[in-house]
Amino acid sequence: MDVNNFSQQIEELRSRVRQIWQRTATQPNSQQELIIAAFDELQMAMEELLAASEELEVTRAGAEIERQRYQELFDFAPDGYLVTNTAGKILEANYAAATMLSVRQKYLVGKPLIVFIDQQDRQIFSSLINNLQQIEDCVIEIKPRFDTPFPASIRASPVYDSQEKLVGWRWLLRNISEAKQAEEQVTKRTVELAKANHQLLSEITEHKLSKSKLLHLAFHDVLTGLPNRALFMNHLEDAVNYSKRHSDYLFAVLFLDLDRFKVINDSLGHTFGDQLLLTVAQRLQECLRSIDIAARLGGDEFIILLVGIKDILEVVAVVERIQKNLALPVVIDGHEVSTTASIGIALSTTGCEQPEDYLRDADIAMYRAKAQGRACYEIFNTDMHIQAMAHLELVNELRRAIELQEFRVYYQPIVSLSRGRITGFEALVRWLHPKHGIVLPEYFMSTTQETGLIILIEQWLLHEACSQIQQWQEQFSSSCGDLAECPLTISVNLCTTRFSEENLLPHINKVLQDTGLLAPSLTLEITEGVIMENDDKAIIRLKELRNLGIKLAIDDFGTGYSSLGRLHHFPINQLKIDRSFVSGNIFDRGNLDIVQTIITLAHKLGVDVTAEGVETKEQLALLRKLNCEYGQGYFFSHPLDSSQATALIMANPQW
């Protein structure tokens, strides 16, 4: 029973007692009965009141338990709970709130809540308690007593009395420092993850770019950016396969080798050469359709694939367009040069099975074109392949000949025309072939130069010739008076490749030391072409050779393209007139004028002259009349092996 029911029963008891007294006043004769009735009524009322009182006590006990439970929940809640009046003065506070504010619970009561709000947020707090509305979560800075301020989430709800009048506020405080720190940490971590993700994306992008670059490098030339051999062969393979399925489909492979590029590269420098190659690559692309492919094999070699062509005339038109474009002058760093190309053409009509075969055939045709001179082109045919196979067989035989020492040195006398005696020999190489016998240099020398085998042969030749002349000097120094006063000399030819070698001087020095031959007894013969191709570097190299003490001669003079204006810069000892001006037709007016001019020029320069190709006594007489110092030719002797040459020296002939 609640308090309201108990009050209602008391009121009903009072009403019943008043009714008894009223009946007593109107009925005096029944007073005794009324008293008895009143006591009965009172007894019943007392019993009801007692029961009501007991029921009320039970209700109060239950209410106390509920209140105690609420108080415990209030006091030991993890969040701070406060009750204030409308002015914000604290009326109640739980333990969590006291802990947050660093004040004991009993001392919190009566304190204004605003004193625990940081100065910067007090205006916000004042606006909250004047709002008269329920306040959702709001973050303000709490300033505990003698402690560090912290952020708190605050929620407030209004308290009304029975008349719906605002009498205060209930406050929920929650310390969100850790949550805020966690949020900041999450934010920081999110930023870090975003950065990491951005970095990862950058790395992925960079990886893709690197992969793309590597892929590009794998299939393109680094210098020119053109496709390389690998990519070209892929396209060529596609063209070959397509032509096998479509008989009317035609394509052509062009193999280009720039003419005299090495001369340009060596004389003007590799940087200039690279710029020239870039220009060539650009001009090649300008001559082609978008469906055609131009690639760089390396060095000064380029290859082109022309696809879907109509006939050979279309290919020739492209080749001529290329030659015309390449011939246009190029100005790089103030130097103007022009270049041409030797071009070999292989047509799909040859019916090769493999892509490599077309490239091989175009290469063979290119070499045939280069042999014809500059700016030439050749179309491959089966005869070229046969010749190429023969060339390959020759190369293999030459390699074997070097290994098995099949080469021999032959010696052709050089005669002093004034004394008519032998003064030295020119060392000439011969190949003692196991099947064909003695093979002359004109059949294999060009091949040795192309393959680089000439270096090994000339190194061997120099050592053999120096060793032999040293033996002859020792053998005949006392028996032959002329040779005692003027020891025999040896002349050895030096090719372009050897002349440009960095280790040429050390090798010559070593040969002289190993054989014991004095440097003045050695003459190196160098062609006009070798000197002019090396330009200014040639002068430096010639001076280096002269400084060793050896003598220098320009061989085959008159057949090359020497600049007579620069001839006096060359530190040479001798000019050798080419045999074509002497042998057989020296008396022709043109040849005689050339020979006389060369001799006069040589004497003006202070150098001696050797005439090659002397075959008759009439030629000898004329050369003596022209004051030519030395002669060499069949009139004196054919080239001899060492034993024959020894016998000739011993015979000591006089001409």
Side-chain angles (χ1 to χ4, degrees), residues 327-383:
L328 296 175
V330 180
V331 179
I332 302 174
D333 295 335
H335 297 279
E336 181 178 304
V337 297
S338 60
T339 186
T340 55
S342 298
I343 304 176
I345 305 169
L347 299 173
S348 58
T349 52
T350 57
C352 295
E353 288 296 322
Q354 300 300 324
E356 292 80 5
D357 296 339
Y358 288 100
L359 195 60
R360 177 204 63 202
D361 293 347
D363 188 21
I364 293 173
M366 183 275 295
Y367 274 103
R368 176 63 65 87
K370 186 170 285 291
Q372 294 182 6
R374 302 176 193 169
C376 295
Y377 67 88
E378 275 287 341
I379 302 172
F380 176 81
N381 56 49
T382 54
D383 290 339

Side-chain angles (χ1 to χ4, degrees), residues 107-278:
Y107 295 130
L108 272 179
V109 177
K111 300 291 192 297
L113 179 56
I114 196 170
V115 301
F116 299 102
I117 307 297
D118 194 63
Q119 187 70 38
Q120 63 183 10
D121 290 338
R122 288 184 179 180
Q123 185 66 35
I124 298 175
F125 177 78
S126 298
S127 65
L128 290 177
I129 62 176
N130 293 325
N131 191 25
L132 302 180
Q133 298 291 330
Q134 181 167 327
I135 301 167
E136 298 297 333
D137 291 343
C138 176
V139 178
I140 62 174
E141 196 77 8
I142 297 295
K143 185 179 180 182
R145 187 180 183 189
F146 309 125
D147 207 345
T148 304
F150 62 86
S153 172
I154 186 170
R155 179 183 297 179
S157 59
V159 179
Y160 299 98
D161 61 9
S162 59
Q163 303 299 320
E164 296 298 323
K165 179 182 179 182
L166 181 67
V167 295
W169 294 90
R170 296 188 188 93
W171 302 86
L172 169 62
L173 302 179
R174 181 174 293 133
N175 188 337
I176 61 171
S177 297
E178 294 183 0
K180 193 168 184 179
Q181 290 175 359
E183 182 181 354
E184 291 175 353
Q185 187 67 25
V186 169
T187 302
K188 180 181 178 181
R189 185 59 179 161
T190 302
V191 172
E192 291 176 352
L193 288 174
K195 289 182 179 179
N197 185 53
H198 179 72
Q199 180 67 24
L200 181 60
L201 290 175
S202 298
E203 291 177 358
I204 292 173
T205 303
E206 186 177 352
H207 175 72
K208 289 181 178 179
L209 289 174
S210 298
K211 185 177 180 181
S212 177
K213 289 179 180 178
L214 288 174
L215 190 62
H216 185 272
L217 289 174
F219 291 101
H220 290 80
D221 175 56
V222 176
L223 175 63
T224 63
L226 292 178
N228 60 12
R229 180 191 179 100
L231 183 55
F232 180 88
M233 295 306 293
N234 287 342
H235 286 282
L236 179 55
E237 184 177 10
D238 292 340
V240 171
N241 293 334
Y242 189 82
S243 66
K244 290 178 180 178
R245 299 191 302 269
H246 302 81
S247 58
D248 58 342
Y249 179 77
L250 299 178
F251 66 86
V253 176
L254 278 56
F255 198 114
L256 288 78
D257 184 271
L258 300 183
D259 299 323
R260 296 185 65 246
F261 176 76
K262 185 179 184 303
V263 176
I264 297 172
N265 200 42
D266 291 345
S267 59
L268 298 178
H270 294 286
T271 301
F272 186 96
D274 288 346
Q275 291 297 319
L276 179 59
L277 289 175
L278 284 170

Side-chain angles (χ1 to χ4, degrees), residues 509-525:
N509 254 331
K510 187 175 186 306
V511 169
L512 293 176
Q513 291 174 5
D514 291 346
T515 61
L517 183 67
L518 297 178
S521 297
L522 172 63
T523 299
L524 293 180
E525 297 185 4

Side-chain angles (χ1 to χ4, degrees), residues 69-127:
R69 183 181 294 114
Y70 166 77
Q71 190 66 40
E72 290 176 355
L73 290 173
F74 180 77
D75 287 338
F76 298 105
D79 297 323
Y81 288 97
L82 295 168
V83 178
T84 68
N85 60 15
T86 56
K89 184 180 291 185
I90 298 173
L91 302 179
E92 290 185 65
N94 69 348
Y95 178 77
T99 302
M100 284 184 188
L101 303 178
S102 299
V103 179
R104 292 183 181 180
Q105 284 178 273
K106 61 181 180 179
Y107 295 130
L108 272 179
V109 177
K111 300 291 192 297
L113 179 56
I114 196 170
V115 301
F116 299 102
I117 307 297
D118 194 63
Q119 187 70 38
Q120 63 183 10
D121 290 338
R122 288 184 179 180
Q123 185 66 35
I124 298 175
F125 177 78
S126 298
S127 65

